[in-house]
Amino acid sequence: MAKILYELGKWAGSNSKKVILMTVLILIGLGIATVGIGASFKDDLAIPGTESEKAMKVLEKEFKSANNGGQVYLVMKAPKNETLDSKENNKIIQKALAKIKEDKAVTVVATPADLKNINPDKQIGYAVITYDKPAGDVSEKSKEHVEESLHITRDAGIQTELGGSVEFDVTKGGGSETSGIIAAYAVLAITFTSLLVAGMPIITAVIGLGIGVLLVVMGTNYFDIPSISLTLSAMLGLAVGIDYALFIISRFRLEVKKGNSLKESIGIATGTAGSAVIFAGVTVMIGLVGLSVLDIPFITVMGMASAVVVFFSVIVSIVVLPAMLGFFGHRMGPFRKNKLLNIITRIDKKKDVSKNKWGRFVTRKPLVITVIGIGILAMLTIPFFHMNLGLPTKGDKSFDKTERKGYDLLAEGYGEGFHATLVVVAEPKGNAQESPEKLNDVVKDISSLKNVTRVTPAIPNKTGKIFLITVTPKTGPNDTETKQLVHDIRDLSKNEEIKLMVTGSTAINIDIADKIMDKLPVFAALIVVFAYVLLMVVFRSLLIPLKAVLGFILSMGATFGFTVYVVQDGHLQDLFGLPGPTSILFLLPILSLGILFGLAMDYEVFLVSKMREEYSHTGDARKAVLAGMKENGTVVTAAGLIMASVFAGFILAEDPIIKQMGISLTLGVLFDAFVVRMTLVPAVMTLLGKSAWYLPKWLDKILPNIDIEGNSIRKVEQNQSNQLKKQDIL
């Protein structure tokens, strides 16, 4: 593979203008095609085959609603010492609703008095506005009309907030992508001491990201792709694109410094670092595609979409980047000083010595370092064992948002369970269909369960064979007590004459979380075994892959544990910009595992490959560790900082889903890159000594040889050198 990439790199470097022009044309063509086709994201989080999904289908079939339009709740609270149903306040409410009803898209308006939903102390109630379109199709003009009408009640002293199925507070990224890129550029500028070179990885990463994202957007017209896939793909594609370019450019500058020609340096960099990039990219893609083992359609699609973006990040790194290196030529070399960064240059000169000192420190006391490192990661893992998965709600939004205020007002007026209402579909069997008493007994049984506030009488469908029961819990939608209540209701139908099916957002949440947790060990085992086998092939060792996967398990445990400590337990909330404690996003564990697995293996390969190269030449295990830390430790450090910077930018997002993903991935990169790869790996390798490189001879013979160190390239160079010598002799 290294030899093929070597030739590819030389060709791209020699035909730089053609490659760059073709890339620009591809981007323009995809952009035009995407604008013409448009996007059609589908945010359906249901899982086919689950109890909640089956119940939802029965509900939609047997209890068809005359109006499926989106609804807006006007949640109101009367001024102090007043009631919401007073004549004066009722008049003001009627005036506001009459103003809202001027919108022709509004079909029905119901006041709190009409709905009889004013709470017992008569302070809080809500009006319901129903539109002639689904919630997602309600126009911005209609939303603005509602918001403009709120001043009528607010000016009268009635606190008025919004709720319902129509979204008003559209979350924004908060400049997350931009801030991540700026931070990455700063790290690259320090690493390369050149503004031009620092910009190159970002440019190529954006090109790969652009191609991949445009294809994903077009794919939404043919596949059911959720909108969160785009953010996830952008987050991952940008980070790996920058990192892959970093590795190749670093090797290119090293070869130029050795005195190789520009063309030869590009070929060697693409053949060696490019081989590692392909290995790393394939590893990330396999981790993402491996999400399909969960058998959850929307997670499978998210993984596939992200894998597409990573694929094109790899292609751009090994084709377009060499072309750009050929185009800019010696301006990319290490000898070109940047006068604006003289101070940074001095720091960089010292940094190599400092990095070597760190390697010597770790290898001098490897046992102490290993025990401390493992102890820190194990301690951080402890909160993971009480992780509570859930769906994001409007209660996760920041306190200044009207929908968050509306959510809190509804909880104040009707209890947290208002947001966790369960829909129970009851289907009597046999003789029970003719016995209303059996149905009444079921209602009583549900009422007697723990954590139940209210149960409505059973409402029959048109045929009288299926019944609808609404259950309001005492606790919120993501509380463990609410989830237990769902299981308790389902248990009532066992060996009974009436089948009970539970659906609603809470029930859907439980089914998704249960399925993810059931499949998580299978997925984790799959990627761990895959990583072990792959690393064994690459490094020709039994113990190095074991150390790598155990380190990954430790870093993931610490990542999940610290995320629970912050997000769920409510610590350091201000530092991360969180509005309050909440459950862990149900997607977080599985997506973080899939993404961070690939990144962890990247760092392992880039660091240990140099150690293997040195050991194969000297046979000195400790010297090999120091060489790996000195040569590639700086690159891995920069890569970890860049990746963490990009992911940290997403912590600034308002969307709780993106914010949690940003926190988890940032922590995961920091723990794995700096605690595991830069500390535990050299310490454990020192303890293992030569045994780290042990591989039975019989196994070595049957394993395929993956040349990521570029041995085949060196053979080609040696042959060329020998031929030149023969010619000189002749």
Side-chain angles (χ1 to χ4, degrees):
M1 181 171 68
K3 187 177 178 181
I4 296 173
L5 290 175
Y6 168 77
E7 297 295 339
L8 176 63
K10 289 176 68 176
W11 174 84
S14 301
N15 298 272
S16 57
K17 292 182 180 179
K18 293 180 181 178
V19 174
I20 294 171
L21 178 61
M22 184 60 66
T23 303
V24 172
L25 291 176
I26 290 173
L27 272 172
I28 294 173
L30 286 174
I32 294 172
T34 303
V35 172
I37 297 174
S40 180
F41 291 102
K42 297 175 180 65
D43 293 310
D44 182 11
L45 302 184
I47 302 178
T50 60
E51 289 192 45
S52 58
E53 195 264 347
K54 292 177 182 177
M56 186 61 72
K57 285 186 175 180
V58 173
L59 186 67
E60 292 172 351
K61 179 182 177 182
E62 303 294 342
F63 295 89
K64 292 182 179 179
S65 174
N67 193 322
N68 293 318
Q71 292 186 327
V72 174
Y73 290 178
L74 251 64
V75 189
M76 294 167 281
K77 182 176 183 179
K80 191 175 181 180
N81 300 324
E82 293 184 24
T83 60
L84 201 63
D85 62 349
S86 67
K87 287 184 179 181
E88 185 177 346
N89 285 334
N90 190 47
K91 183 179 179 181
I92 294 168
I93 293 170
Q94 291 278 10
K95 182 179 178 182
L97 294 176
K99 177 69 174 176
I100 292 173
K101 200 171 182 180
E102 292 176 3
D103 184 356
K104 294 181 180 180
V106 175
T107 57
V108 180
V109 171
T111 67
D114 296 334
L115 298 170
K116 298 180 180 179
N117 61 24
I118 298 178
N119 73 329
D121 65 6
K122 301 197 176 195
Q123 278 277 302
I124 297 173
Y126 61 93
V128 178
I129 303 153
T130 306
Y131 290 85
D132 59 2
K133 301 174 184 176
D137 296 333
V138 175
S139 68
E140 290 299 320
K141 186 177 180 180
S142 292
K143 296 178 186 180
E144 291 173 4
H145 182 68
V146 170
E147 291 177 314
E148 290 169 1
S149 303
L150 297 184
H151 76 89
I152 297 174
T153 50
R154 287 175 174 174
D155 290 347
I158 301 173
Q159 181 183 352
T160 310
E161 310 298 345
L162 298 173
S165 59
V166 178
E167 291 283 343
F168 282 83
D169 295 328
V170 179
T171 53
K172 302 174 182 177
S176 54
E177 297 89 347
T178 303
S179 61
I181 290 174
I182 292 173
Y185 183 78
V187 175
L188 287 165
I190 294 173
T191 303
F192 291 130
T193 66
S194 167
L195 295 177
L196 173 63
V197 182
M200 197 62 63
I202 294 175
I203 293 172
T204 54
V206 170
I207 292 172
L209 177 64
I211 294 173
V213 166
L214 287 173
L215 288 173
V216 170
V217 172
M218 285 195 290
T220 61
N221 294 280
Y222 309 100
F223 305 98
D224 294 339
I225 302 178
S227 57
I228 187 64
S229 298
L230 205 59
T231 300
L232 181 64
S233 300
M235 184 188 300
L236 185 57
L238 185 62
V240 299
I242 293 174
D243 269 7
Y244 295 164
L246 167 67
F247 298 134
I248 293 175
I249 292 174
S250 297
R251 185 57 185 260
F252 164 76
R253 285 159 62 88
L254 179 63
E255 295 302 323
V256 172
K257 191 174 183 180
K258 288 180 180 179
N260 288 315
S261 67
L262 184 66
K263 184 178 178 180
E264 188 70 14
S265 297
I266 295 173
I268 295 173
T270 309
T272 53
S275 297
V277 163
I278 287 182
F279 172 83
V282 169
T283 307
V284 174
M285 285 186 281
I286 289 176
L288 293 168
V289 174
L291 292 171
S292 59
V293 302
L294 298 174
D295 197 26
I296 299 176
F298 69 89
I299 291 182
T300 298
V301 172
M302 289 173 68
M304 294 291 185
S306 298
V308 168
V309 174
V310 173
F311 173 77
F312 283 101
S313 295
V314 172
I315 296 299
V316 169
S317 297
I318 61 174
V319 178
V320 181
L321 178 59
M324 297 185 76
L325 292 175
F327 181 79
F328 286 100
H330 289 283
R331 283 175 290 178
M332 301 290 293
F335 41 80
R336 184 177 175 84
K337 298 295 189 332
N338 190 310
K339 296 179 181 180
L340 297 176
L341 293 173
N342 280 335
I343 298 177
I344 296 177
T345 304
R346 296 189 198 105
I347 294 174
D348 187 68
K349 289 178 180 177
K350 295 179 180 179
K351 189 172 65 173
D352 184 63
V353 178
S354 174
K355 185 58 62 180
N356 201 26
K357 284 183 178 179
W358 175 251
R360 292 182 183 280
F361 169 74
V362 172
T363 55
R364 191 179 298 120
K365 299 181 179 180
L367 183 59
V368 175
I369 295 296
T370 301
V371 171
I372 293 175
I374 293 175
I376 291 173
L377 294 175
M379 181 180 66
L380 292 173
T381 303
I382 294 174
F384 164 71
F385 296 102
H386 63 266
M387 177 186 286
N388 177 35
L389 301 183
L391 285 166
T393 68
K394 292 179 180 178
D396 296 327
K397 294 189 175 186
S398 58
F399 291 107
D400 62 322
K401 300 297 183 182
T402 182
E403 287 183 298
R404 170 60 189 268
K405 294 176 182 178
Y407 184 97
D408 292 341
L409 269 186
L410 289 169
E412 178 186 343
Y414 309 102
E416 289 286 344
F418 179 89
H419 301 292
T421 301
L422 306 174
V423 179
V424 181
V425 179
E427 183 179 358
K429 302 176 183 178
N431 296 330
Q433 293 182 2
E434 303 173 0
S435 176
E437 289 79 12
K438 293 285 185 181
L439 203 59
N440 292 333
D441 290 342
V442 168
V443 174
K444 290 179 182 178
D445 290 341
I446 295 175
S447 301
S448 65
L449 293 173
K450 292 181 180 179
N451 198 40
V452 173
T453 297
R454 186 170 65 91
V455 180
T456 62
I459 302 173
N461 67 344
K462 291 181 179 180
T463 64
K465 295 181 179 180
I466 306 291
F467 296 82
L468 183 66
I469 303 170
T470 303
V471 181
T472 304
K474 295 178 182 177
T475 49
N478 292 322
D479 288 350
T480 54
E481 294 88 345
T482 306
K483 297 177 182 180
Q484 183 58 48
L485 176 59
V486 173
H487 290 300
D488 292 341
I489 294 173
R490 286 173 174 169
D491 289 341
L492 290 176
S493 66
K494 294 179 179 179
N495 301 318
E496 293 287 346
E497 295 177 304
I498 297 179
K499 180 182 179 181
L500 299 178
M501 296 181 288
V502 188
T503 188
S505 60
T506 301
I508 292 172
N509 169 29
I510 290 172
D511 289 339
I512 294 175
D514 286 350
K515 190 156 188 175
I516 287 176
M517 294 309 291
D518 288 343
K519 296 283 187 177
L520 188 61
V522 177
F523 177 62
L526 177 69
I527 64 174
V528 164
V529 171
F530 168 77
Y532 183 87
V533 173
L534 202 57
L535 291 174
M536 182 173 61
V537 172
V538 172
F539 294 125
R540 327 301 288 183
S541 166
L542 293 177
L543 294 180
I544 289 177
L546 180 62
K547 170 227 23 147
V549 296
L550 290 177
F552 172 65
I553 292 171
L554 280 171
S555 64
M556 286 308 305
T559 299
F560 291 151
F562 197 77
T563 302
V564 170
Y565 179 79
V566 172
V567 176
Q568 183 179 312
D569 296 345
H571 302 284
L572 306 176
Q573 295 276 300
D574 292 338
L575 178 63
F576 292 95
L578 294 167
T582 184
S583 58
I584 301 298
L585 174 68
F586 67 95
L587 292 172
L588 190 69
I590 204 73
L591 290 182
S592 295
L593 195 63
I595 294 170
L596 293 173
F597 160 70
L599 302 182
M601 297 306 103
D602 289 356
Y603 300 145
E604 181 76 14
V605 170
F606 291 127
L607 188 63
V608 180
S609 60
K610 183 61 181 179
M611 296 181 186
R612 179 174 181 253
E613 182 180 354
E614 184 70 22
Y615 181 77
S616 64
H617 291 153
T618 65
D620 188 328
R622 187 172 184 275
K623 187 178 180 181
V625 173
L626 290 173
M629 293 291 288
K630 181 178 181 180
E631 294 295 333
N632 285 358
T634 303
V635 179
V636 171
T637 298
L641 289 173
I642 290 166
M643 195 77 76
S645 298
V646 173
F647 289 151
F650 288 87
I651 298 175
L652 302 176
E654 295 179 5
D655 191 322
I657 296 177
I658 300 174
K659 185 180 285 287
Q660 281 197 35
M661 287 297 297
I663 292 172
S664 176
L665 293 175
T666 302
L667 293 172
V669 169
L670 292 175
F671 289 148
D672 197 89
F674 298 105
V675 180
V676 174
R677 308 302 154 191
M678 291 298 295
T679 305
L680 287 179
V681 165
V684 173
M685 292 281 287
T686 303
L687 289 174
L688 293 175
K690 291 186 177 182
S691 62
W693 304 101
Y694 171 73
L695 183 72
K697 292 183 179 179
W698 63 268
L699 185 58
D700 186 43
K701 291 179 181 179
I702 63 175
L703 290 177
N705 186 22
I706 299 177
D707 180 21
I708 67 171
E709 289 91 7
N711 291 322
S712 58
I713 298 175
R714 279 189 284 272
K715 289 180 181 178
V716 171
E717 290 178 319
Q718 186 64 42
N719 291 334
Q720 292 175 346
S721 177
N722 291 336
Q723 290 176 0
L724 289 173
K725 288 180 180 179
K726 289 180 181 179
Q727 291 175 1
D728 291 340
I729 293 173
L730 293 174

